[in-house]
Amino acid sequence: EAKRLGRGRHARFHGALEASARYRRLIETDLRDAIARRELALHYQPIVRAEDGETVGYEALLRWHHPVRGLIPPLDFVPVAEETGMIDAIGAFVLNEACREASRWGSGRRVAVNLSPAQFRNPALAAEVAAALDASGLPADRLELEITESVLLDASSNNLTTLGRLRRLGARIALDDFGTGYSSLSYLCAFRFDKIKIDRAFIRGICDSREALAVVRAITGLGRSLGIVVTAEGIETQEQAACLRQEGCTQFQGYLYGKPVPASALAEVSAQPRAGTGS
Ligand code: C2E
Ligand code: MG
Ligand code: MG
Ligand code: MG
């Protein structure tokens, strides 16, 4: 009996693996055409000032509207894009689209764009960012580039050189998902970031876990000492916001303030007619 159950479990496990390998192949095949078919789009999530709730910018988050499978989240296809090299084309799309969209915002709010560590293998990355700024007319200081620690973990100092180039363009550089992964404080010495984003994992527990609170307190303290902005990600409740305000977090982001929505749902564009459309 136990043996039969064991086999059943094994068969199920095997089935799941097979299904996921099939899913991955499907993603890889269909992703090749996704840009040309205009299936990729950006959604925008507000980032607000902790003090008064004023929106200071939006994070651009990639979405794939698959014709059959519906909405596919970035964590399902960005890793595939990274492994196959498609991330360069997709990353260029994201940069151009985000800069073009933000250039229409009369409010002057910033747009934050996620850069994958794999994009740093592209020696033309900084040139592509410059081209996206140029083509859109977006002032560089309204573009914030979010990177993760793994960009600095990669021993090649090329990445640091590229980061320096991006900074010299005038873009702001944020350290995303801080506190997870390989977190080492030495990264904060290797490069002067404009912002640290505390990972959602710590925000989730901040009200009931002493450990999570301690980590958040340490990070906000670092931010204060270094004179850089600290954003908390993934805030869902007023209680979390109250705790984070008390800890001196400067910016908030999370479903409590707004989920990611298509550009058309933002109230940013109406005030300013688009230049050059001639209507
Ligand atoms: P991230 O950059 O840390 O983005 C924050 C993620 O948390 C987003 O998930 C966002 O929708 C989600 N989130 C925000 N507030 C809340 C909340 O209150 N509760 C919960 N449960 N979740 C919240 P999303 O859009 O699925 O993106 C996941 C990750 O995919 C991003 O994490 C980022 O690492 C990556 N990603 C997204 N767009 C891009 C892109 O254009 N390029 C690259 N390279 N990576 C991207
Ligand atoms: Mg991010
Ligand atoms: Mg994050
Ligand atoms: Mg993340």
Side-chain angles (χ1 to χ4, degrees):
E1 176 68 8
K3 215 170 176 180
R4 196 181 58 77
L5 276 177
R7 225 179 2 253
R9 228 188 331 268
H10 181 260
R12 259 202 311 282
F13 181 55
H14 188 65
L17 269 186
E18 242 173 25
S20 78
R22 208 179 311 125
Y23 181 58
R24 193 201 172 286
R25 275 198 303 278
L26 177 140
I27 296 247
E28 184 174 340
T29 308
D30 292 355
L31 192 53
R32 298 207 178 274
D33 302 317
I35 296 182
R37 290 186 184 150
R38 300 173 167 274
E39 291 166 6
L40 297 182
L42 295 178
H43 283 191
Y44 296 87
Q45 185 180 33
I47 301 172
V48 310
R49 196 156 56 201
E51 228 178 294
D52 55 6
E54 171 68 22
T55 299
V56 293
Y58 298 90
E59 179 172 4
L61 294 158
L62 190 55
R63 298 290 180 262
W64 181 8
H65 296 276
H66 190 282
V68 177
R69 301 192 154 248
L71 197 68
I72 302 185
L75 293 178
D76 279 16
F77 68 88
V78 167
V80 177
E82 290 171 337
E83 286 166 31
T84 54
M86 288 187 261
I87 194 66
D88 288 336
I90 291 174
F93 163 80
V94 169
L95 276 165
N96 281 300
E97 180 67 18
C99 290
R100 190 186 60 80
E101 177 57 37
S103 71
R104 307 165 64 197
W105 299 342
S107 60
R109 290 176 176 137
R110 290 204 167 94
V111 69
V113 170
N114 292 283
L115 289 185
S116 151
Q119 288 176 266
F120 280 76
R121 285 189 230 126
N122 173 8
L125 177 61
E128 284 176 11
V129 171
L133 287 168
D134 222 44
S136 62
L138 183 73
D141 71 348
R142 286 178 51 201
L143 176 63
E144 190 160 82
L145 300 169
E146 298 194 358
I147 66 154
T148 53
E149 292 147 335
S150 46
V151 167
L152 296 174
L153 179 76
D154 196 333
S156 86
S157 60
N158 287 344
N159 287 1
L160 261 185
T161 309
T162 303
L163 269 182
R165 282 203 192 111
L166 294 170
R167 156 69 52 66
R168 263 176 277 124
L169 289 176
R172 299 163 67 91
I173 316 286
L175 186 52
D176 203 357
D177 301 345
F178 192 73
T180 61
Y182 299 94
S183 284
S184 156
L185 298 182
S186 65
Y187 299 134
L188 295 175
C189 299
F191 189 80
R192 194 176 45 77
F193 289 93
D194 298 290
K195 174 189 278 195
I196 305 173
K197 300 187 78 171
I198 309 177
D199 194 80
R200 177 153 55 92
F202 303 104
I203 308 309
R204 202 183 295 131
I206 190 173
C207 293
D208 14 64
S209 151
R210 261 174 49 195
E211 289 76 13
L213 179 62
V215 170
V216 168
R217 186 167 290 168
I219 299 175
T220 50
L222 270 169
R224 245 192 319 278
S225 311
L226 295 168
I228 63 183
V229 174
V230 176
T231 301
E233 298 190 297
I235 302 176
E236 295 185 355
T237 69
Q238 292 289 359
E239 290 72 23
Q240 292 166 339
C243 286
L244 289 160
R245 206 171 281 118
Q246 188 153 2
E247 294 308 320
C249 230
T250 37
Q251 291 181 354
F252 292 167
Q253 181 179 0
Y255 293 170
L256 182 63
Y257 303 98
K259 292 194 170 182
V261 293
S264 57
L266 299 177
E268 295 292 327
V269 182
S270 52
Q272 250 204 5
R274 189 118 106 90
T277 52
S279 58

